[in-house]
């Protein structure tokens, strides 16, 4: 699994315009994933959202770990909810909780 935050999605779809890089990940057997919070952030940019949804190969996972969100938000106040959700998802995945 490869999990992406908002910045990397914007970079791939809008700046370098190279979605084929994602195809390479999939050919290697990775599932493309992002969190609901990242998806919500992408919706705020119509151009990126249009290209992201047209690509259509991402799984969207919910991350509802309030203790993790609260802890990381306090420790890293400069991170956005999308970035924090990716970190929380990764921590959940490592510990075997949930996904």
């Amino acid at each position: 699994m490869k999990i992406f935050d908002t910045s990397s999605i914007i970079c791939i779809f809008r700046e370098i315009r190279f979605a084929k890089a994602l195809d390479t990940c999939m050919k290697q057997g990775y599932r493309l994933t992002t969190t609901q919070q990242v998806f919500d952030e992408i919706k705020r940019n119509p151009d990126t959202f249009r290209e992201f949804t047209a690509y259509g190969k991402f799984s969207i996972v919910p991350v509802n770990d309030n203790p993790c969100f609260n802890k990381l938000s306090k420790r890293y106040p400069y991170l956005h909810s999308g970035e924090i959700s990716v970190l929380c998802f990764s921590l959940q995945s490592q510990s075997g909780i949930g996904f």
Side-chain angles (χ1 to χ4, degrees):
M1 173 186 307
K2 295 281 185 190
I3 186 157
F4 294 82
D5 71 353
T6 307
S7 298
S8 58
I9 290 172
I10 290 170
C11 179
I12 290 168
F13 287 107
R14 301 295 301 154
E15 293 177 23
I16 63 172
R17 298 185 180 272
F18 193 62
K20 288 183 181 183
L22 299 171
D23 294 338
T24 301
C25 292
M26 292 180 64
K27 287 177 186 173
Q28 296 295 318
Y30 292 105
R31 188 176 99 209
L32 305 177
T33 308
T34 194
T35 65
Q36 183 64 49
Q37 290 84 351
V38 169
F39 184 75
D40 292 342
E41 286 180 1
I42 294 168
K43 280 186 197 178
R44 294 183 204 140
N45 183 319
D47 294 331
T48 303
F49 185 67
R50 183 178 57 255
E51 291 184 37
F52 177 81
T53 54
Y55 185 71
K57 298 177 184 174
F58 275 83
S59 299
I60 311 298
V61 293
V63 176
N64 299 315
D65 187 343
N66 287 334
C68 182
F69 262 88
N70 292 338
K71 181 179 179 180
L72 293 179
S73 294
K74 288 178 186 173
R75 185 168 180 162
Y76 306 105
Y78 47 85
L79 294 179
H80 296 274
S81 64
E83 294 163 324
I84 292 172
S85 69
V86 168
L87 293 171
C88 288
F89 179 80
S90 298
L91 291 170
Q92 286 176 335
S93 297
Q94 284 182 346
S95 66
I97 298 171
F99 312 94

